[in-house]
Amino acid sequence: MTQPMISLIERGKTRRLGRERQQRALHGLEARATLLPPMEEWGDSQAMAALEAVSGEGPNRAGVNAAQISAYVMLWARAASAPPAPPRKTAPVSPAMVAALEDVTEALRRADAAHGSAGLAPFAAAQLTAAQRMLAAAGEEGVRRRLYRAAADLAGLAGWLAVDAGDYDRARPLFAAALRSAHQAGDVVLGAGIASSVAVQSYSLGQGLQAALIARTALERTVSRATPLVRAMLHTRVARGHAVDGDRLPALRALENAREAFEQGPSDEDPSWLYWMSPGEMHGQAAAVHLSLGEDEQALQLLEQADRTYDSACVRDHARCTVRSAGALARLGELDHACERAHRALDMEVGSVRLAYEVMGLLSDLEPYDDEARVAELRDHAAPLLDSALR
C-alpha cells in the first residue's frame, strides 16, 4: 500500500474493508497467534533472543510480519507471569548503570516529541545494544527486572521512531521485543503502552478493526492496574481504529470513554512515559476521529483547541495539528487560511515522515487549486520535507 493511500485512509476518504471482511479480520486476529511461539515460551531466553535480534548484534529485520505483530499482543495479554531468570555468571551491572540507560531513553523520547524521529534511530539502536549486553551480564533478579523494564521502554520507543519514519517493517520486531521484555519485567502497564503503539501502526495502515481490538486487549489486560490517564490513552486508540473503518457510533463511544477517564485527572501512579497525555492530546485525538469520519467542521474546532493546549515542547504535535487544520480548511473552501497554516507548520522544521504524509494529503486536497500561485508557493515550501521523506 502506498503512503498517499495510507494518508487517505486515516482521513476517511476510503474504506479498505467491508463489514463481512472486518468480522473475518476480527476472528482471524486471534487465530494468527497459533503461528507464534506458545505462551509457555514467553520466558527469559526468548526475551533475550528477541532483543538480540533487534540490537546491533542481530539483523536489521527480525522476522515478524504484519499479521504476526497483532497476534503478539494477544499472546502478551495471555502469557503467565514470568518466572525468575535462571542463575548465571554475572558482571557488575549497577542500579546507576540502569538509571543512566533510563535517562537516555527519556531524552530520546523528548527529542522525538520536539523535533521528530529524524536522526534518532541510530542513537536508540546503540542504547538497545547496550541494554541487551547488560542483560546478558546481569544476574541479580531485581537489577534484571529493572533492566528488562528499561529495555522494553527503549525497544518500544525505537519501534515508535520507526513508525514515525514510515519504516513499519523495522517497527514490528522492535515492538515484539518490547512486549517480551515488558513481560519479563512484570510491567503490564508498560506492555499496554507498547501495544498502543502497535495499534497506532495498525490504524495508520488502514487496519482499523485490528487497531481497536489491540487497544481493547490492552485495556482488558490492565483493568486493575491502569491509571485513568492510561485508560484514556487506550480508549483513544480504540476510537481511532473504529473511525478509520468509518464506524461512527463505536468511535464516538470510545472517545467519550476516553474523555471520562481523562477527566479523572492525573495520578501519582502515572508512568513517566505518558507525560504527553495532556488536554492538547485529548483534543488532537478527538479531532483525528472526526477527520476520519469526514466531519471537518467539528474537527477544526478541536484542532484549534489542541493547538492552544499542546505543550510548547511538543513541536511535532503542533505541526501535525496545524497541517490537519489546514486540510480541513482546504476542504471547507478556506484556501487562504489553509495555505497560511500549512506554511506555519512547515516553518516548524520537524523531521517526521508521518508529518510529510500529512502534508502530502493536504496537497492532494489542494489539487483543484493547482493553478493558484499561493498553492504553487506552498508546494515549493513543502518540497524539502517531501524529498527527505521519500528517499
Side-chain angles (χ1 to χ4, degrees):
M1 186 187 308
T2 65
Q3 290 299 341
M5 177 61 74
I6 292 169
S7 179
L8 291 174
I9 288 168
E10 268 206 284
R11 286 155 48 224
K13 287 200 168 184
T14 185
R15 300 287 175 259
R16 297 184 65 242
L17 296 176
R19 296 308 304 167
E20 184 177 344
R21 289 180 64 200
Q22 286 179 357
Q23 292 305 314
R24 288 203 300 270
L26 178 62
H27 295 300
L29 185 56
E30 292 186 344
R32 292 183 193 127
T34 62
L35 303 176
L36 296 172
M39 288 178 285
E40 59 266 27
E41 293 185 13
W42 274 58
D44 180 79
S45 60
Q46 289 78 25
M48 287 291 292
L51 283 172
E52 185 176 359
V54 295
S55 75
E57 302 299 316
N60 289 332
R61 297 289 190 275
V64 180
N65 63 35
Q68 289 175 327
I69 186 56
S70 52
Y72 258 98
V73 177
M74 304 300 145
L75 290 181
W76 159 78
R78 296 173 180 175
S81 297
R88 63 178 67 212
K89 294 180 180 180
T90 64
V93 178
S94 68
M97 293 169 68
V98 185
L101 185 67
E102 292 166 342
D103 288 344
V104 172
T105 301
E106 186 61 24
L108 287 170
R109 188 176 2 257
R110 301 276 179 162
D112 170 61
H115 307 294
S117 62
L120 295 180
F123 296 103
Q127 293 302 310
L128 199 53
T129 298
Q132 188 266 333
R133 288 175 175 171
M134 282 193 278
L135 272 166
E140 198 276 315
E141 180 62 19
V143 171
R144 285 186 65 78
R145 279 191 176 268
R146 185 175 173 188
L147 259 175
Y148 264 126
R149 183 177 294 109
D153 192 17
L154 181 55
L157 175 61
W160 174 255
L161 296 176
V163 169
D164 191 58
D167 192 351
Y168 301 115
D169 288 341
R170 175 62 176 161
R172 285 189 286 267
L174 285 161
F175 288 144
L179 287 167
R180 286 189 177 277
S181 293
H183 177 66
Q184 286 304 117
D187 192 334
V188 296
V189 173
L190 178 55
I194 296 159
S196 80
S197 294
V198 178
V200 173
Q201 177 170 278
S202 293
Y203 67 62
S204 297
L205 290 168
Q207 299 158 355
L209 187 65
Q210 179 169 293
L213 180 58
I214 288 169
R216 284 200 205 99
T217 298
L219 278 163
E220 291 168 5
R221 181 65 181 86
T222 57
V223 66
S224 62
R225 304 281 291 277
T227 65
L229 287 192
V230 173
R231 292 200 305 274
M233 179 269 294
L234 292 171
H235 281 301
T236 66
R237 304 304 192 227
V238 176
R240 293 289 301 274
H242 285 305
V244 162
D245 272 0
D247 293 333
R248 187 174 188 275
L249 290 180
L252 296 183
R253 279 197 299 269
L255 195 55
E256 184 58 29
N257 289 337
R259 289 191 180 109
E260 289 176 359
F262 185 80
E263 287 169 0
Q264 294 179 46
S267 162
D268 291 340
E269 301 301 315
D270 287 330
S272 61
W273 49 262
L274 198 62
Y275 75 93
W276 45 265
M277 195 63 195
S278 64
E281 178 69 12
M282 279 300 305
H283 292 314
Q285 291 295 326
V289 167
H290 287 288
L291 284 174
S292 291
L293 294 173
E295 299 169 351
D296 287 322
E297 290 186 4
Q298 289 170 275
L300 188 57
Q301 294 176 13
L302 289 161
L303 286 165
E304 290 171 350
Q305 290 177 286
D307 194 45
R308 289 194 298 269
T309 51
Y310 271 129
D311 189 293
S312 59
C314 296
V315 181
R316 180 183 52 205
D317 289 329
H318 281 286
R320 294 192 77 200
C321 177
T322 305
V323 170
R324 286 174 172 177
S325 66
L329 286 164
R331 292 187 294 275
L332 292 170
E334 298 285 344
L335 185 58
D336 285 337
H337 288 139
C339 290
E340 183 273 327
R341 292 199 189 186
H343 282 297
R344 190 197 314 165
L346 292 167
D347 286 341
M348 296 181 196
E349 298 184 345
V350 173
S352 166
V353 173
R354 287 194 307 145
L355 177 64
Y357 297 152
E358 298 271 5
V359 173
M360 291 169 68
L362 168 64
L363 294 176
S364 175
D365 289 327
L366 291 173
E367 284 178 358
Y369 307 99
D370 271 350
D371 57 346
E372 296 271 355
R374 49 198 162 171
V375 174
E377 181 183 353
L378 179 61
R379 289 187 182 279
D380 289 342
H381 194 178
L385 175 64
L386 300 185
D387 288 345
S388 65
L390 296 174
R391 284 176 189 166

